[in-house]
Amino acid sequence: MESQLTILLPVAAVWLTAGVVADGLPRLRNTRVLRRRTGWLLVLTVIGVALTAAVLGAGLLSTGATPVDRAAAGLTLAAGPALVATVCSVRRIRRLRAGAGAFASAPATPAPHGLRAAAAHPLVGLPLQVTALATVPALIAAAGTDLGADPGVTGPAITVGALAVVAIGVRHALRHNRFAERAQPVAARSTRTAGALHV
């Protein structure tokens, strides 16, 4: 039990840290800090994907009820969000880092709303945070509490997890839309005075 928890804790810690860093990106107002944090986030995401893949791969290769096998079984729920993070989030984080790097010659430049809107995009933070959330049942099972054993607990736990994912997604979408609206250029108003309407 303890060795299973020892395997799962670093994986969950990396995904949780990546989710927290991704959540704070849109609040950064300096391009230099934004570039540095996106670099950290890229490293954390790659490490999280590598650790998850390593545990799942070791679970496939091992036979019997070894701690690695149980840890891999617990991480199957996180495999889907981790795959989405690999395909979508990594590419967007790299583009965001390159965009912030364009201001490297002027490090004190405030981060434009376009960059902050890209940082708030749901596909940047949502897969990372959902993956971190998906590791929680594995940690609870490794600590000795099996949520799937009692049907009276399984249903509410699934409902709470689904509501948490929806809430995180809505929050990201609202933040992204707010920054995207600020990034739009202001439409020039006509200077002509309105004349009488002739029919």
Side-chain angles (χ1 to χ4, degrees):
M1 191 79 64
E2 291 180 359
S3 54
Q4 178 187 350
L5 192 60
T6 306
I7 295 168
L8 290 171
L9 271 176
V11 181
V14 169
W15 283 117
L16 180 62
T17 308
V20 171
V21 172
D23 195 67
L25 287 182
R27 291 193 292 269
L28 300 176
R29 299 180 179 273
N30 186 287
T31 52
R32 187 178 197 173
V33 178
L34 182 62
R35 186 172 188 270
R36 186 169 63 241
R37 293 282 176 87
T38 50
W40 294 353
L41 183 59
L42 188 61
V43 170
L44 285 168
T45 307
V46 170
I47 291 173
V49 169
L51 286 175
T52 306
V55 173
L56 291 173
L60 288 174
L61 295 175
S62 69
T63 56
T66 61
V68 175
D69 221 16
R70 292 194 299 271
L75 278 183
T76 51
L77 186 62
L83 182 61
V84 175
T86 307
V87 174
C88 300
S89 298
V90 170
R91 182 171 55 89
R92 287 186 176 274
I93 294 167
R94 287 177 63 192
R95 284 192 353 214
L96 180 60
R97 187 167 189 269
F103 298 92
S105 58
T109 305
H113 289 297
L115 271 180
R116 295 174 73 188
H121 195 280
L123 286 178
V124 172
L126 182 62
L128 308 179
Q129 293 171 346
V130 171
T131 307
L133 191 64
T135 61
V136 173
L139 288 174
I140 293 173
T145 306
D146 191 5
L147 293 176
D150 186 5
V153 177
T154 306
I158 293 173
T159 304
V160 168
L163 288 175
V165 170
V166 170
I168 293 169
V170 168
R171 181 170 175 270
H172 279 292
L174 290 175
R175 282 204 308 177
H176 174 66
N177 288 341
R178 188 174 73 245
F179 284 119
E181 285 173 5
R182 291 182 188 175
Q184 296 296 325
V186 179
R189 294 182 178 179
S190 176
T191 56
R192 269 191 330 182
T193 56
L197 180 63
H198 296 284
V199 180

